[in-house]
């Protein structure tokens, strides 16, 4: 990465502006040095970490040094919490702030929407957080016996910049680079990278494009045709969809599985809806059959994403749980994290005997009394506690109610088994009642995960709908 920054493809960056922390044996003054480096940055503050990522007892990402202890109780004391990196960014007046994390559990850095500076100082053109994996996924690396072994994420990112992106613009932003890197990693069965963008950081040019912008030539390789079709899909209007579809078909005919997946999404109407900025409509029989055929063809060719699409179709459209389980399992075995999440959720609903269809539930049913009873539910936080208590609770989230509710909802849903488990069987009104009952506890940020877990354990598996019914009766 340092060589890349100093290469003409990236400018190059002035060598004196690149500060390297190489395999430090102990934490020492790293936090102080980071703050000093970012204070000196007036244009771009760029942080790149590749190494081991672990999390502490509060599930906060910690970046390791030589003597970091893996025990969660010591992780933050002996490693560098990502919150400390945020502190360093806060000290910087740079217009663009970028953090790239190539480590296990990198997605934990996206807490609080991945903001790199809680208190923004003008002028700020934006912030960009790029992560090699989701919150509880491991990042992959080449085997040690491979010459010049590297992590897959950094190797793919650097190679992409050096090679350039055919059909891309003269200047490559991290958004251009991310799309190609993500496609290559997922195509190779690696964890899918993540990103968080704030303001205009997505438009900041990181590197020259070493491959000139040009449409694919006749007889071009399928991957080139696919990338040009995808570029047009993201840049052109829906009236160009027939041409784009024809390009995907040409690549699919050559055995290109990502193009097959794209054709499946076109058949479902998902691509057209995204191009128009609208919600996708219902899928009729012919379109559903075409989408299924394209996904099945890609799955048979070994694609890791197509079985996920098939699982979704069989679960949501065909209402065939056995087939959905089969395809989710296949995708999960091929390393697809999203499929594993859906598989876990569907297995939970089957185990609890919960129908995937959402209904009002049995209003006469009873449920076990939670160990920590919540007060009567209401639709606003103000109705659940005094204004003083409410403000004290919101202080954990810098007084931002929207942020507090969003983070609490994410943690609460995970504690209930994930978005595709029992939670998926509730309708919107039931979800609101159950979640409002949880918010009545005003869980503090540091205890959020444990409070959510205890609450769901007290309600009991399979009883969320009964809990919603009980809260509904209490408000009448």
């Amino acid at each position: 990465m340092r060589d890349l920054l100093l290469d003409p493809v990236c400018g190059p960056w002035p060598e004196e502006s690149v500060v390297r922390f190489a395999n430090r044996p102990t934490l020492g003054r790293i936090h102080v040095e980071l703050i000093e480096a970012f204070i000196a940055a007036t244009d771009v503050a760029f942080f790149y970490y590749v190494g081991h990522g672990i999390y502490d007892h509060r599930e906060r990402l910690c970046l390791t040094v030589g003597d970091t202890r893996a025990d969660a109780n010591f992780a933050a004391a002996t490693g560098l919490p990502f919150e400390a990196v945020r502190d360093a960014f806060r000290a910087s007046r740079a217009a663009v702030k970028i953090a790239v994390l190539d480590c296990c559990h990198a997605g934990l850095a996206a807490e609080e929407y991945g903001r790199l500076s809680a208190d923004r100082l003008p002028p700020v053109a934006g912030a960009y957080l790029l992560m090699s994996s989701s919150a509880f996924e491991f990042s992959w690396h080449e085997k040690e016996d491979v010459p010049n072994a590297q992590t897959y994420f950094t190797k793919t990112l650097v190679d992409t910049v050096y090679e350039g992106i055919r059909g891309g613009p003269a200047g490559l932003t991290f958004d251009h680079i991310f799309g190609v890197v993500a496609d290559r990693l997922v195509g190779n069965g690696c964890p899918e990278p993540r990103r968080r963008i704030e303001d205009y950081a997505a438009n900041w040019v990181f590197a020259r494009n070493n491959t000139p912008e040009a449409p694919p030539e006749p007889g071009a390789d399928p991957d080139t045709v696919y990338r040009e079709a995808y570029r047009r899909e993201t840049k052109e209007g829906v009236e160009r969809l027939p041409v784009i579809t024809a390009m995907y078909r040409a690549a699919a005919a050559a055995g290109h599985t990502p193009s097959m997946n794209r054709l499946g999404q076109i058949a479902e109407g998902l691509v057209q809806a995204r191009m128009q900025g609208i919600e996708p409509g219902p899928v009729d029989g012919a379109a559903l059959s075409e989408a299924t055929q394209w996904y099945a063809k890609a799955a048979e060719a070994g694609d890791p994403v197509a079985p996920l699409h098939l699982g979704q179709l069989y679960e949501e459209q065909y209402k065939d749980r056995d087939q959905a389980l089969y395809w989710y399992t296949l995708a999960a075995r091929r390393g697809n994290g999203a499929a594993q999440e859906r598989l876990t959720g569907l297995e939970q609903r089957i185990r609890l005997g919960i129908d995937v269809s959402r209904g009002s539930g049995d209003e006469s049913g009873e449920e076990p009394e939670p160990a920590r009873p919540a007060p009567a539910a209401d639709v606003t936080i103000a109705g659940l506690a005094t204004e003083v208590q409410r403000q004290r609770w919101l202080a954990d989230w810098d007084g931002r109610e929207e942020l507090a509710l969003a983070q609490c909802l994410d943690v609460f849903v995970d504690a209930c088994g994930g978005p595709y488990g029992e939670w998926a069987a509730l309708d919107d009104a039931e979800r609101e009642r159950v979640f409002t009952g949880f918010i009545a506890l005003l869980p503090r940020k540091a205890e959020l995960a444990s409070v959510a877990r205890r609450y769901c354990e007290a309600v009991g598996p399979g009883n969320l709908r009964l809990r919603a019914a009980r809260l509904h009766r209490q408000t009448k």
Side-chain angles (χ1 to χ4, degrees), residues 27 56 60-63 75-86:
L27 194 60
D56 67 2
R60 297 176 303 178
L61 177 66
C62 297
L63 312 179
T78 57
L80 181 70
F82 188 71
E83 289 182 5
V85 180
R86 282 204 187 93

Side-chain angles (χ1 to χ4, degrees), residues 21-300:
F21 300 82
N23 298 324
R24 295 289 181 91
T26 189
L27 194 60
R29 298 181 70 254
I30 288 180
H31 191 185
V32 174
E33 293 176 54
L34 273 178
I35 295 173
E36 291 174 344
F38 283 163
I39 287 177
T42 57
D43 182 13
V44 179
F46 180 76
F47 177 84
Y48 196 102
Y49 175 81
V50 55
H52 291 294
I54 60 176
Y55 56 89
D56 67 2
H57 63 289
R58 292 169 57 186
E59 296 184 348
R60 297 176 303 178
L61 177 66
C62 297
L63 312 179
T64 63
V65 292
D67 65 353
T68 299
R69 297 172 66 171
D71 187 322
N73 295 309
F74 296 94
T78 57
L80 181 70
F82 188 71
E83 289 182 5
V85 180
R86 282 204 187 93
D87 286 342
F89 273 112
R90 185 179 293 113
S92 174
R93 298 184 65 89
V96 177
K97 300 176 180 180
I98 299 168
V100 182
L101 303 175
D102 184 3
C103 61
C104 297
H105 314 298
L108 288 173
E111 292 290 328
E112 300 186 20
Y113 304 104
R115 293 193 57 149
L116 300 185
S117 176
D119 302 316
R120 291 179 4 187
L121 299 174
V124 173
Y128 201 108
L129 175 61
L130 189 55
M131 300 156 284
S132 63
S133 63
S134 62
F136 295 103
E137 274 188 310
F138 295 108
S139 289
W140 292 15
H141 60 83
E142 297 175 317
K143 293 182 179 180
E144 284 78 359
D145 56 1
V146 174
N148 300 315
Q150 301 178 55
T151 58
Y152 281 105
F153 177 82
T154 295
K155 175 179 173 59
T156 305
L157 188 149
V158 173
D159 287 349
T160 298
V161 174
Y162 278 132
E163 294 167 8
I165 300 175
R166 186 171 181 81
L172 298 178
T173 68
F174 267 110
D175 253 16
H176 294 123
I177 298 165
F178 175 85
V180 176
V181 170
D183 285 347
R184 290 182 176 180
L185 289 172
V186 173
N188 290 329
C190 298
E192 182 178 358
R194 300 290 192 270
R195 60 181 166 181
R196 292 290 185 273
I197 309 167
E198 187 176 342
D199 296 331
Y200 304 108
N203 298 324
W204 182 75
V205 174
F206 175 71
R208 293 191 187 93
N209 190 357
N210 279 338
T211 302
E213 182 171 1
E217 299 173 358
D221 69 279
D223 192 59
T224 300
V225 176
Y226 168 80
R227 295 192 187 287
E228 174 61 13
Y230 186 76
R231 184 188 72 82
R232 293 188 178 189
E233 178 188 320
T234 58
K235 299 294 184 182
E236 299 180 359
V238 70
E239 68 277 358
R240 302 292 293 170
L241 186 56
V243 175
I244 294 168
T245 303
M247 296 178 69
Y248 283 134
R249 286 186 181 276
H256 193 258
T257 58
S259 295
M260 298 176 193
N261 284 324
R262 218 71 196 147
L263 288 168
Q265 293 200 315
I266 290 174
E268 286 192 76
L270 301 178
V271 172
Q272 179 175 344
R274 279 196 292 268
M275 293 176 78
Q276 293 177 305
I278 61 175
E279 289 294 321
V283 186
D284 61 32
L288 183 59
S289 176
E290 182 182 354
T292 304
Q293 291 174 12
W294 279 120
Y295 295 145
K297 188 173 183 178
E300 290 170 2

